[in-house]
């Protein structure tokens, strides 16, 4: 168990990862795996779970934002992470977002959106309210507010959009996710709060510049990947070669960079995680594989909380 004392000017590490829904893995990724002559054992949740937990434990992240988490997956993850000093929440939906945090932080409030088209609404258990522009396929977001023992506040917004929705719809969903975060803070009487927006945007991160125009002027922690590398990286970063999603590791396969972490001005990025290839590549050419449990790579960033000039904590 990792023990760490948080202070107002502490470094906070946030990790985001699409861990690949169990049902989707068994009913979709399996075809690619079988086509490559690999064993379906790599798809089974009971085999992927310990690999996911090991990755999360090694990250030593303060806040963990996961996508594609169904209820049984959340229950298993929570059971495995609680002994490591983490607590977590999700909205109980399928293929949803889940957030875990180290117990040096205290949960203050949270709010979610889970949207799907009418013909899939039977999968949703909560009462759903329509967004200004509804998703054609699905949309998940979870805004969570934390406070530490010194009174420092933090807002983390976990997001997952669908690649089949149009760019306009996904942009509207990002805007709505940020509104959820603002609503959480407003209910607590917070303002000007250190904020992280992260997840699976299903859009090339180079095309997410519009987020900088949203309230808060969020910045991409991976915007200058070559200048902020953590010690977790065993090889030099190559921005052109970096990817966060791939179902196949064949040289000519489609690899995309669609997961990232945005942060507000209150957080100074001091390092990002770029996975060394030998941590997820094996003799296999597919993802997931015997070494790595998802078709997405985790992204993580370490931040220093920037205090105001008078040294005051940002929110009361």
């Amino acid at each position: 168990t990792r023990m760490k004392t948080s202070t107002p000017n502490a470094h906070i590490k946030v990790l985001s990862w699409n861990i690949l829904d169990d049902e989707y893995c068994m009913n979709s990724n399996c075809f690619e795996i079988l086509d490559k002559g690999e064993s379906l054992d790599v798809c089974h949740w009971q085999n992927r779970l310990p690999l996911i937990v090991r990755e999360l434990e090694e990250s030593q992240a303060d806040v963990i934002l996961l996508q594609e988490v169904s209820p049984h997956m959340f229950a298993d993850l929570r059971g495995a992470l609680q002994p490591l000093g983490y607590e977590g929440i999700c909205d109980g939906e399928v293929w949803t977002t889940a957030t875990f945090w180290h117990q040096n932080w205290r949960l203050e409030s949270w709010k979610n959106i889970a949207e799907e088209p009418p013909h899939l609404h039977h999968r949703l258990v909560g009462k759903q309210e329509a967004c200004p522009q509804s998703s054609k396929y699905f949309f998940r977001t979870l805004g969570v507010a934390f406070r530490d023992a010194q009174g420092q506040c933090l807002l983390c917004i976990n997001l997952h959009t669908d690649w089949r929705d149009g760019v306009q719809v996904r942009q509207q969903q990002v805007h709505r996710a940020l509104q959820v975060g603002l609503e959480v803070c407003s209910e607590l009487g917070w303002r000007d709060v250190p904020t992280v927006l992260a997840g699976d945007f299903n859009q090339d991160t180079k095309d997410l510049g519009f987020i900088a125009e949203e309230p808060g002027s969020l910045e991409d922690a991976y915007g200058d990947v070559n200048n902020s590398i953590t010690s977790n990286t065993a090889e030099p970063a190559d921005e052109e070669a970096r990817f966060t999603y791939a179902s196949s590791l064949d040289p000519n396969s489609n690899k995309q960079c669609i997961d990232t972490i945005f942060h507000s001005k209150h957080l100074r990025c001091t390092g990002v995680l770029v996975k060394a290839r030998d941590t997820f590549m094996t003799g296999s050419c597919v993802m997931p594989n015997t070494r790595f449990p998802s078709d997405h790579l985790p992204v993580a960033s370490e931040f220093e909380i920037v205090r105001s000039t008078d040294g005051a904590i940002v929110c009361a």
Side-chain angles (χ1 to χ4, degrees):
T1 302
R2 175 180 61 105
M3 299 299 293
K4 185 173 75 172
T5 302
S6 178
T7 60
N9 59 349
H11 281 71
I12 300 173
K13 189 172 185 180
V14 178
L15 178 143
S16 176
W17 191 12
N18 181 327
I19 61 171
L20 181 58
D21 179 72
D22 181 23
E23 180 182 359
Y24 191 80
C25 185
M26 292 301 299
N27 293 298
S28 180
N29 291 70
C30 63
F31 294 111
E32 179 94 34
I33 289 167
L34 288 173
D35 185 59
K36 301 295 184 183
E38 302 290 338
S39 170
L40 278 182
D41 287 347
V42 300
C43 288
H44 292 153
W45 173 240
Q46 63 266 32
N47 294 329
R48 295 197 299 123
L49 175 62
L51 296 178
I52 292 171
V53 173
R54 183 180 67 185
E55 187 80 25
L56 298 178
E57 181 179 12
E58 290 177 353
S59 77
Q60 293 196 329
D62 295 277
V63 180
I64 297 168
L65 310 176
L66 302 178
Q67 300 88 45
E68 290 197 26
V69 182
S70 286
H72 70 284
M73 298 170 66
F74 175 75
D76 290 343
L77 286 163
R78 190 179 184 188
L81 291 174
Q82 280 180 330
L84 302 177
Y86 289 93
E87 190 49 82
I89 57 168
C90 77
D91 58 15
E93 305 292 356
V94 297
W95 206 320
T96 196
T97 49
T99 295
F100 292 86
W101 63 94
H102 196 266
Q103 292 169 0
N104 290 321
W105 290 86
R106 183 178 75 243
L107 174 68
E108 293 289 328
S109 183
W110 65 278
K111 194 168 187 177
N112 78 297
I113 292 176
E115 280 199 337
E116 289 184 350
H119 71 282
L120 291 178
H121 271 186
H122 67 278
R123 304 198 310 173
L124 298 177
V125 298
K127 178 184 177 183
Q128 308 307 320
E129 297 180 1
C131 284
Q133 187 173 2
S134 296
S135 59
K136 183 178 179 183
Y137 293 95
F138 79 90
F139 170 45
R140 303 284 190 266
T141 193
L142 180 63
V144 185
F146 303 103
R147 191 196 298 263
D148 73 1
Q150 288 71 38
Q152 176 64 59
C153 305
L154 178 68
L155 172 67
C156 291
I157 304 169
N158 189 351
L159 171 76
H160 189 194
T161 67
D162 196 302
W163 64 272
R164 293 164 295 188
D165 277 320
V167 173
Q168 268 192 327
V169 173
R170 290 199 297 271
Q171 289 184 359
Q172 182 64 39
Q173 291 166 350
V174 170
H175 177 76
R176 183 63 183 126
L178 292 170
Q179 288 298 313
V180 164
L182 290 174
E183 290 165 13
V184 170
C185 290
S186 177
E187 291 170 2
L188 292 169
W190 292 2
R191 59 182 180 83
D192 204 24
V193 181
T195 300
V196 170
L197 167 69
D200 177 1
F201 293 83
N202 264 308
Q203 185 171 340
D204 194 305
T205 55
K206 293 179 180 178
D207 298 328
L208 294 173
F210 68 91
I211 293 178
E213 300 172 5
E214 292 283 345
S217 302
L218 303 183
E219 301 177 7
D220 188 348
Y222 281 81
D224 195 357
V225 69
N226 289 306
N227 288 334
S228 57
I229 301 301
T230 69
S231 59
N232 294 329
T233 305
E235 61 180 14
D238 181 346
E239 189 170 3
E240 293 304 317
R242 190 176 76 89
F243 64 90
T244 65
Y245 166 79
S247 60
S248 170
L249 296 173
D250 285 339
N252 296 323
S253 66
N254 182 30
K255 302 180 182 68
Q256 298 174 292
C257 195
I258 56 178
D259 309 79
T260 195
I261 299 174
F262 287 88
H263 62 96
S264 66
K265 61 185 178 182
H266 316 87
L267 300 170
R268 180 183 298 115
C269 179
T270 59
V272 295
L273 170 67
V274 179
K275 292 287 292 180
R277 290 178 182 272
D278 61 6
T279 63
F280 59 86
M281 291 185 73
T282 64
S284 170
C285 61
V286 293
M287 291 176 66
N289 55 52
T290 55
R291 180 178 293 182
F292 198 77
S294 178
D295 52 2
H296 285 252
L297 300 178
V299 291
S301 181
E302 189 167 310
F303 300 105
E304 179 185 6
I305 299 177
V306 180
R307 303 181 69 182
S308 60
T309 55
D310 62 3
I313 293 174
V314 174
C315 56

